[in-house]
PDB file of all heavy atoms in Angstrom:
ATOM      1  N   VAL A  89      34.783 -13.260   7.584  1.00  0.00           N
ATOM      2  CA  VAL A  89      35.211 -14.456   6.851  1.00  0.00           C
ATOM      3  C   VAL A  89      34.218 -15.579   7.143  1.00  0.00           C
ATOM      4  O   VAL A  89      34.049 -15.998   8.297  1.00  0.00           O
ATOM      5  CB  VAL A  89      36.633 -14.876   7.244  1.00  0.00           C
ATOM      6  CG1 VAL A  89      37.029 -16.148   6.503  1.00  0.00           C
ATOM      7  CG2 VAL A  89      37.630 -13.753   6.946  1.00  0.00           C
ATOM      8  N   TYR A  90      33.580 -16.067   6.096  1.00  0.00           N
ATOM      9  CA  TYR A  90      32.576 -17.116   6.222  1.00  0.00           C
ATOM     10  C   TYR A  90      33.133 -18.447   5.729  1.00  0.00           C
ATOM     11  O   TYR A  90      33.873 -18.500   4.735  1.00  0.00           O
ATOM     12  CB  TYR A  90      31.330 -16.764   5.412  1.00  0.00           C
ATOM     13  CG  TYR A  90      30.499 -15.663   6.034  1.00  0.00           C
ATOM     14  CD1 TYR A  90      30.839 -14.323   5.837  1.00  0.00           C
ATOM     15  CD2 TYR A  90      29.392 -15.950   6.815  1.00  0.00           C
ATOM     16  CE1 TYR A  90      30.089 -13.298   6.407  1.00  0.00           C
ATOM     17  CE2 TYR A  90      28.634 -14.944   7.390  1.00  0.00           C
ATOM     18  CZ  TYR A  90      28.992 -13.623   7.181  1.00  0.00           C
ATOM     19  OH  TYR A  90      28.243 -12.623   7.754  1.00  0.00           O
ATOM     20  N   THR A  91      32.777 -19.497   6.418  1.00  0.00           N
ATOM     21  CA  THR A  91      33.101 -20.853   5.994  1.00  0.00           C
ATOM     22  C   THR A  91      31.880 -21.731   6.207  1.00  0.00           C
ATOM     23  O   THR A  91      30.937 -21.375   6.925  1.00  0.00           O
ATOM     24  CB  THR A  91      34.289 -21.438   6.782  1.00  0.00           C
ATOM     25  OG1 THR A  91      34.038 -21.301   8.186  1.00  0.00           O
ATOM     26  CG2 THR A  91      35.594 -20.758   6.408  1.00  0.00           C
ATOM     27  N   CYS A  92      31.921 -22.887   5.577  1.00  0.00           N
ATOM     28  CA  CYS A  92      30.845 -23.871   5.718  1.00  0.00           C
ATOM     29  C   CYS A  92      31.465 -25.222   6.067  1.00  0.00           C
ATOM     30  O   CYS A  92      32.469 -25.622   5.465  1.00  0.00           O
ATOM     31  CB  CYS A  92      30.041 -23.963   4.423  1.00  0.00           C
ATOM     32  SG  CYS A  92      28.691 -25.179   4.484  1.00  0.00           S
ATOM     33  N   THR A  93      30.912 -25.873   7.069  1.00  0.00           N
ATOM     34  CA  THR A  93      31.376 -27.211   7.421  1.00  0.00           C
ATOM     35  C   THR A  93      30.258 -28.210   7.184  1.00  0.00           C
ATOM     36  O   THR A  93      29.067 -27.892   7.328  1.00  0.00           O
ATOM     37  CB  THR A  93      31.807 -27.296   8.893  1.00  0.00           C
ATOM     38  OG1 THR A  93      30.659 -27.091   9.741  1.00  0.00           O
ATOM     39  CG2 THR A  93      32.861 -26.249   9.213  1.00  0.00           C
ATOM     40  N   VAL A  94      30.645 -29.416   6.789  1.00  0.00           N
ATOM     41  CA  VAL A  94      29.685 -30.514   6.638  1.00  0.00           C
ATOM     42  C   VAL A  94      30.247 -31.746   7.333  1.00  0.00           C
ATOM     43  O   VAL A  94      31.466 -31.944   7.405  1.00  0.00           O
ATOM     44  CB  VAL A  94      29.389 -30.819   5.158  1.00  0.00           C
ATOM     45  CG1 VAL A  94      28.696 -29.653   4.479  1.00  0.00           C
ATOM     46  CG2 VAL A  94      30.666 -31.170   4.411  1.00  0.00           C
ATOM     47  N   LYS A  95      29.355 -32.533   7.862  1.00  0.00           N
ATOM     48  CA  LYS A  95      29.763 -33.790   8.469  1.00  0.00           C
ATOM     49  C   LYS A  95      28.638 -34.792   8.319  1.00  0.00           C
ATOM     50  O   LYS A  95      27.486 -34.437   8.069  1.00  0.00           O
ATOM     51  CB  LYS A  95      30.128 -33.609   9.941  1.00  0.00           C
ATOM     52  CG  LYS A  95      28.969 -33.170  10.826  1.00  0.00           C
ATOM     53  CD  LYS A  95      29.419 -33.025  12.272  1.00  0.00           C
ATOM     54  CE  LYS A  95      28.259 -32.582  13.175  1.00  0.00           C
ATOM     55  NZ  LYS A  95      28.684 -32.460  14.590  1.00  0.00           N
ATOM     56  N   ASN A  96      28.998 -36.073   8.462  1.00  0.00           N
ATOM     57  CA  ASN A  96      28.026 -37.156   8.424  1.00  0.00           C
ATOM     58  C   ASN A  96      28.184 -37.938   9.713  1.00  0.00           C
ATOM     59  O   ASN A  96      29.246 -38.518   9.971  1.00  0.00           O
ATOM     60  CB  ASN A  96      28.263 -38.054   7.204  1.00  0.00           C
ATOM     61  CG  ASN A  96      27.173 -39.086   7.033  1.00  0.00           C
ATOM     62  OD1 ASN A  96      26.857 -39.824   7.964  1.00  0.00           O
ATOM     63  ND2 ASN A  96      26.623 -39.163   5.826  1.00  0.00           N
ATOM     64  N   ASN A  97      27.153 -37.925  10.538  1.00  0.00           N
ATOM     65  CA  ASN A  97      27.264 -38.540  11.857  1.00  0.00           C
ATOM     66  C   ASN A  97      27.438 -40.047  11.804  1.00  0.00           C
ATOM     67  O   ASN A  97      27.734 -40.673  12.827  1.00  0.00           O
ATOM     68  CB  ASN A  97      26.033 -38.191  12.698  1.00  0.00           C
ATOM     69  CG  ASN A  97      26.002 -36.724  13.071  1.00  0.00           C
ATOM     70  OD1 ASN A  97      27.052 -36.103  13.236  1.00  0.00           O
ATOM     71  ND2 ASN A  97      24.807 -36.156  13.172  1.00  0.00           N
ATOM     72  N   VAL A  98      27.267 -40.645  10.620  1.00  0.00           N
ATOM     73  CA  VAL A  98      27.464 -42.092  10.468  1.00  0.00           C
ATOM     74  C   VAL A  98      28.851 -42.373   9.901  1.00  0.00           C
ATOM     75  O   VAL A  98      29.617 -43.161  10.447  1.00  0.00           O
ATOM     76  CB  VAL A  98      26.373 -42.699   9.574  1.00  0.00           C
ATOM     77  CG1 VAL A  98      26.649 -44.177   9.332  1.00  0.00           C
ATOM     78  CG2 VAL A  98      25.003 -42.508  10.201  1.00  0.00           C
ATOM     79  N   LEU A  99      29.191 -41.685   8.798  1.00  0.00           N
ATOM     80  CA  LEU A  99      30.456 -41.950   8.125  1.00  0.00           C
ATOM     81  C   LEU A  99      31.602 -41.079   8.622  1.00  0.00           C
ATOM     82  O   LEU A  99      32.757 -41.485   8.576  1.00  0.00           O
ATOM     83  CB  LEU A  99      30.293 -41.740   6.617  1.00  0.00           C
ATOM     84  CG  LEU A  99      29.268 -42.623   5.910  1.00  0.00           C
ATOM     85  CD1 LEU A  99      29.162 -42.233   4.446  1.00  0.00           C
ATOM     86  CD2 LEU A  99      29.642 -44.095   6.046  1.00  0.00           C
ATOM     87  N   CYS A 100      31.270 -39.885   9.086  1.00  0.00           N
ATOM     88  CA  CYS A 100      32.330 -38.934   9.407  1.00  0.00           C
ATOM     89  C   CYS A 100      31.830 -37.953  10.444  1.00  0.00           C
ATOM     90  O   CYS A 100      31.028 -37.075  10.134  1.00  0.00           O
ATOM     91  CB  CYS A 100      32.772 -38.208   8.140  1.00  0.00           C
ATOM     92  SG  CYS A 100      33.966 -36.900   8.450  1.00  0.00           S
ATOM     93  N   THR A 101      32.298 -38.073  11.653  1.00  0.00           N
ATOM     94  CA  THR A 101      31.853 -37.165  12.718  1.00  0.00           C
ATOM     95  C   THR A 101      32.678 -35.888  12.769  1.00  0.00           C
ATOM     96  O   THR A 101      32.250 -34.914  13.393  1.00  0.00           O
ATOM     97  CB  THR A 101      31.927 -37.870  14.079  1.00  0.00           C
ATOM     98  OG1 THR A 101      33.270 -38.326  14.296  1.00  0.00           O
ATOM     99  CG2 THR A 101      30.968 -39.054  14.129  1.00  0.00           C
TER     100      THR A 101
END
Side-chain angles (χ1 to χ4, degrees):
V89 178
Y90 287 82
T91 52
C92 179
T93 65
V94 295
K95 64 180 180 179
N96 187 307
N97 291 329
V98 175
L99 300 176
C100 174
T101 57

